[in-house]
Amino acid sequence: MSDSATTAEPEKAGAFREVFEAAKTVVYALLIAVVLKTVVFQPFTIPSASMEPNLYQGDYLVVSKFSYGWSHHSIPFSPPIFKGRILDRTPERGDIVVFKLPRDGHTDYIKRIIGLPGDRVQMKADRLYVNDMPVPRREETAIQGVGDNASGRDVEHFRETLPGGRSYLTNDFGPGGELDDTEVFVVPAGYYFVMGDNRDNSQDSRLPAAIGVGFVPAENLVGKAQIVLGSWGPGMSLFKPWTWITEARWGRFVHGLY
């Protein structure tokens, strides 16, 4: 056997080991990413204006999976491998939650929890009622914003304070909206009533599940929205690096949600 053949065999073995180690590193990294996304956190991008003025289309935020325990919807693609929730924890009124749309079980939605199991929720003359009591609200300064306001309609901010003390801003385009007067919704056991903060532009629990959201099963909760990491305007493109700077909403980087 020649010296060249003897040398080639260790070189091939060494190259194979390098490829194997590199592949193993990639597999480990993917497994860690899947575990983190399944068990701990999930990134989420706001797709619409339904949560303005608190969340804007283009906000990039982090959702904690452990806040309410885990269901099969905590796993990517929602495989139906078990029922119910593991280490179930009850959300609070006012929490901003990501959940799977009840009518398809796959589409991610984000809204604010307004009604807990057993609560009575109603919109009456443009006011929110919980358990037959009007939710206190205070008018803030009228503003010109983004999203719907591009249509030219004036928008007002109202600060609502839910039972329990959670306070937040809402958008309102005036009385007479399609969902400003509703029936009384009694939230069933094991379900939640959710609404968007942009009250005149939100498909939520005020609409039946066939066309809106309806009541959200506890099993469909994915997690609690915790922090906005960054935010970009509609002109941002991954293929235009300069827009990463020009379209950034710097004032919305790294702030908590309440």
Side-chain angles (χ1 to χ4, degrees):
M1 182 178 297
S2 67
D3 290 342
S4 60
T6 303
T7 304
E9 290 180 4
E11 289 179 350
K12 289 181 179 179
F16 176 78
R17 281 195 299 271
E18 289 181 5
V19 171
F20 177 76
E21 290 298 325
K24 189 167 66 173
T25 300
V26 170
V27 170
Y28 286 162
L30 290 174
L31 287 174
I32 291 171
V34 169
V35 169
L36 288 175
K37 186 175 180 181
T38 300
V39 177
V40 187
F41 296 110
Q42 176 176 326
F44 187 80
T45 304
I46 301 298
S48 72
S50 71
M51 286 297 292
E52 291 181 7
N54 300 299
L55 292 173
Y56 289 96
Q57 189 171 1
D59 281 357
Y60 185 85
L61 52 87
V62 171
V63 175
S64 62
K65 292 286 192 77
F66 52 83
S67 293
Y68 309 129
W70 297 269
S71 74
H72 73 274
H73 288 300
S74 304
I75 305 171
F77 309 111
S78 300
I81 57 178
F82 64 94
K83 293 284 188 180
R85 303 190 70 85
I86 299 171
L87 298 178
D88 186 24
R89 299 180 184 87
T90 302
E92 297 180 358
R93 287 192 196 90
D95 284 357
I96 300 175
V97 298
V98 172
F99 59 92
K100 298 296 183 181
L101 186 64
R103 69 170 175 265
D104 66 20
H106 292 287
T107 306
D108 286 324
Y109 264 47
I110 184 165
K111 305 289 180 187
R112 188 182 298 275
I113 288 183
I114 299 297
L116 303 177
D119 281 349
R120 294 164 57 86
V121 182
Q122 183 182 22
M123 289 294 294
K124 186 163 55 175
D126 200 27
R127 290 291 301 275
L128 173 63
Y129 285 70
V130 175
N131 294 326
D132 305 316
M133 297 295 293
V135 169
R137 74 173 187 175
R138 182 181 74 246
E139 185 174 358
E140 302 282 339
T141 305
I143 66 162
Q144 290 281 325
V146 298
D148 266 355
N149 222 33
S151 66
R153 292 189 293 169
D154 290 333
V155 60
E156 288 183 298
H157 280 175
F158 288 93
R159 179 168 294 280
E160 290 183 345
T161 302
L162 290 172
R166 188 70 64 86
S167 179
Y168 52 89
L169 292 174
T170 63
N171 268 5
D172 192 280
F173 293 96
E178 180 182 359
L179 298 175
D180 285 344
D181 289 274
T182 70
E183 63 182 291
V184 176
F185 299 96
V186 181
V187 186
Y191 289 80
Y192 297 94
F193 190 96
V194 299
M195 293 175 65
D197 294 339
N198 197 356
R199 291 293 165 73
D200 294 310
N201 182 23
S202 176
Q203 290 189 326
D204 50 41
S205 291
R206 293 172 291 176
L207 291 169
I211 59 174
V213 171
F215 297 120
V216 178
E219 188 176 52
N220 284 47
L221 297 179
V222 173
K224 179 181 179 181
Q226 296 280 20
I227 185 171
V228 175
L229 289 181
S231 182
W232 287 266
M236 195 277 284
S237 172
L238 291 175
F239 304 104
K240 299 176 180 178
W242 61 91
T243 63
W244 303 353
I245 304 298
T246 60
E247 291 295 320
R249 301 183 183 119
W250 296 109
R252 295 191 61 77
F253 274 57
V254 191
H255 71 88
L257 297 173
Y258 304 99

